[in-house]
Amino acid sequence: MSSRKAAGFGATILLVLALVLVGLFVKGPYILHVFILIMMRVVLASSLRLINLSGQLSLAHGGLVTLGAYTSALLAMKLGFSTWLALLVAGVLAGLVSCLIGFPFTRLKGIYFTMVSIFFVQIIVLTVQQWRGLTGGASGLYNIPRPDGFWGIEFKSKTSFFFLMLIVMLASLLIMWAIERSRVGMTFLGIRQADSLAESVGINTTGFKVLAFSIGGFFAGLVGGFYAHYVSALDPTAFGFLFTIYILIYMIVGGAGAFAGPIIGATLLTVLPEVARPLESYMPFVFAAILMLIIFLMPEGLVGLPQRLNRLFRKTAKDQADVAG
Amino acid sequence: MDEINVLQGVLNGLTCAGWYVLVAVGLSLVLSIMNIVQLSHGEIYMIGAYVVYYFCVNLGISFYLGFVIAVLASGLLGIVLERVFFRPFRGKPDQALVLSIGLILVFQNIVLAIAGGTPKSYRSPFEGVVKIGSLALSTERLVIIIAGFVLIGALFLFIRFAKNGQAMLAISQDREGAALQGININRLSAIAMFVGCALAGVAGGLVGALFTLTPTMGATVLMKGIAVIILGGLGSISGAVLGGLIIGLIDGLVPVVTSSYMASLIGFAIVILILLFRPRGLWGHE
């Protein structure tokens, strides 16, 4: 194990420990809620990055989250499913739907794919609004059951949801990390770098792109389901176009090139509006400004900051040495 | 009775077609000249409508003056966007696309801060109803149909006969080849953005009188525009006209039978089918 790897491993362990300590000792519901939001967005932005590994920038995420949220809520409410089964079905259904729309959408490459993927959000939101008998239409759903308790754990307090989401997040990140390191992940990267070359050496590029899109869709559906049971109310516009844009911004600002990128982006940009309350009504503007600064000045995202500073210091040190010499 | 409903649906459909084509042609132009998906195009349309509202209602001057200023302002905004945001990212379409997403937030937030979130409305001076037999079409809708088709006709003539138009065609066919022939890509990108955004401003100013204005009104229009250019063929102006007619007629006719929701769904289904069986669009080449 190289020292860099060891450092990364150590930092991860410390972060997880810190989160467990937060769950154990922080009792303020507001703080816990912010943490839960962060963890949800970390999973969403990371799953968006997983899709991006295969060279596709998707703007369908809001639709998949909505789909997962309503599926899980309705299965538990109308068909009496256990909430755990409902959650799983929500993820799988969102994955399947991504697979189905993935085939026509991946016909288009690059920016054209991004363009059509926006449609999906609109269609899902419209459908939820129109299908009043099932989804409650524009007024939404209320009293969605909380997750069923087991082994004496009741899901009522923020702390219990904090730990549930922590487990969901760690499991999701672990799976995504494993996928990225596997042969499949390597193939995604290959397709991103040279689409037609990958195709010409016999890689089924459409299949792998759809696979990436489906896995991303699964996690989006899962987080949607969690949200439904956590907040216990849903409305059709909660995860619309704007929500999708924000997830994209978390990923780009943090850095789409590194695994830690979306994690950093989602964390900082969830905390920012909470600490900068007076600026609340200008938040979209602030987010856009941050996004633009990143794209203009640091396209690799915030993860590239240490390296840039390092280079800068070394350069000034060298300059001084030159002057002295 | 039914026949009349259908004909009425066709008239409404033509109105939608004129509206969608005006928006989609700008998207298509920018896409083919600059290779950029300009997702804040819907916001240019929104700004066009708000400028007319400002001159018409807030200042109470006149619709016509407001309209002219709105069209010019949208066009100039297009030039600024090209120069500041899109020119540095030529050849990096992904980053330009993400920037245009940022612009959506910027424009919506600015309009929200200035005009507030309450829906606004203004009346156009085109009052009255034109009757053809037992069919009725309000004058303001007729104006949209006429403006749509006249302006797109003019754009065709421009591309066919003007030197700059021919240069645009050359860029859309082969960017490097065009540059080697001495065509100034920077200048033509600016012209393309000006024309495209001004057309979106025309659409905003005219259609704004039919509906209420909100800072988020651009999103729906963007979706329609995207559907139109995928259907017609990416980067093809004639394709955009054909696609606009199809999507417009669907939006006019389908609600006669069922609902406008079904119209959106059918439009979406057609786009999916096109992507599956003819990804280059109905009119696209390559």
Side-chain angles (χ1 to χ4, degrees), chain A residues 21-160:
Chain A
L21 289 178
V22 166
L24 286 178
F25 295 108
V26 174
K27 291 284 171 245
Y30 165 71
I31 305 270
L32 285 175
H33 177 69
V34 173
F35 269 101
I36 293 173
L37 274 185
I38 291 175
M39 291 193 282
M40 284 168 58
R41 290 170 184 175
V42 162
V43 176
L44 289 176
S46 297
S47 64
L48 193 65
R49 176 173 172 274
L50 186 83
I51 302 175
N52 192 243
L53 282 183
S54 67
Q56 310 168 94
L57 199 62
S58 166
L59 283 176
H61 244 51
L64 294 166
V65 177
T66 312
L67 185 71
Y70 272 89
T71 307
S72 193
L74 289 172
L75 283 178
M77 288 168 80
K78 308 244 160 165
L79 296 179
F81 271 51
S82 133
T83 42
W84 303 106
L85 186 62
L87 250 178
L88 191 68
V89 174
V92 171
L93 187 75
L96 278 178
V97 170
S98 324
C99 179
L100 281 181
I101 57 166
F103 278 104
F105 282 6
T106 50
R107 280 293 188 101
L108 297 178
K109 288 176 184 169
I111 48 176
Y112 304 112
F113 170 84
T114 313
M115 194 167 78
V116 285
S117 67
I118 302 175
F119 263 116
F120 184 67
V121 179
Q122 194 205 17
I123 287 300
I124 289 288
V125 170
L126 273 177
T127 305
V128 170
Q129 278 171 344
Q130 295 292 323
W131 204 344
R132 287 189 196 89
L134 186 66
T135 64
S139 50
L141 291 176
Y142 299 98
N143 298 326
I144 300 165
R146 294 296 172 101
D148 310 324
F150 58 89
W151 300 337
I153 308 168
E154 289 291 322
F155 287 94
K156 282 188 181 129
S157 66
K158 293 268 179 198
T159 308
S160 58

Side-chain angles (χ1 to χ4, degrees), chain B residues 176-218:
Chain B
E176 282 172 24
L180 287 174
Q181 297 297 319
I183 291 175
N184 184 342
I185 296 197
N186 284 344
R187 199 168 64 93
L188 282 153
S189 297
I191 295 178
M193 273 298 271
F194 179 82
V195 173
C197 292
L199 289 176
V202 170
L206 292 177
V207 180
L210 299 182
F211 306 107
T212 52
L213 315 185
T214 58
T216 52
M217 67 194 274

Side-chain angles (χ1 to χ4, degrees), chain B residues 52 56-57 63 121-128 140 208-209:
Chain B
V52 175
C56 215
V57 178
F63 171 83
S121 65
Y122 58 87
R123 298 184 62 86
S124 74
F126 314 114
E127 281 170 5
E140 45 190 9

Side-chain angles (χ1 to χ4, degrees), chain A residues 105 107-108 111-112 114-116 118-119 122-123 127 130 242 245 248-249 281-282 285 288 291-292 295-296 299, chain B residues 35 39 84 89 93 95 97-99 101-103 105-106 109 223 226-227 230 234 261 268 272 275-276 279:
Chain A
F105 282 6
R107 280 293 188 101
L108 297 178
I111 48 176
Y112 304 112
T114 313
M115 194 167 78
V116 285
I118 302 175
F119 263 116
Q122 194 205 17
I123 287 300
T127 305
Q130 295 292 323
L242 273 181
I245 290 180
L248 180 85
I249 293 181
S281 53
Y282 298 100
F285 193 92
L291 176 74
M292 286 171 180
I295 291 183
F296 270 98
Chain B
N35 194 24
L39 290 178
V84 178
F89 293 98
Q95 294 182 347
L97 181 140
V98 175
L99 265 183
I101 290 177
L103 289 171
L105 296 181
V106 170
N109 208 211
M223 305 285 172
I226 292 174
I230 289 172
L234 295 161
Y261 164 65
F268 178 67
I272 294 278
L275 287 177
L276 279 175

Side-chain angles (χ1 to χ4, degrees), chain B residues 194-257:
Chain B
F194 179 82
V195 173
C197 292
L199 289 176
V202 170
L206 292 177
V207 180
L210 299 182
F211 306 107
T212 52
L213 315 185
T214 58
T216 52
M217 67 194 274
T220 336
V221 180
L222 177 72
M223 305 285 172
K224 295 292 178 192
I226 292 174
V228 165
I229 61 174
I230 289 172
L231 197 54
L234 295 161
S236 145
I237 307 282
S238 17
V241 175
L242 182 69
L245 276 172
I246 294 174
I247 299 276
L249 286 174
I250 289 173
D251 281 1
L253 281 170
V254 174
V256 176
V257 192

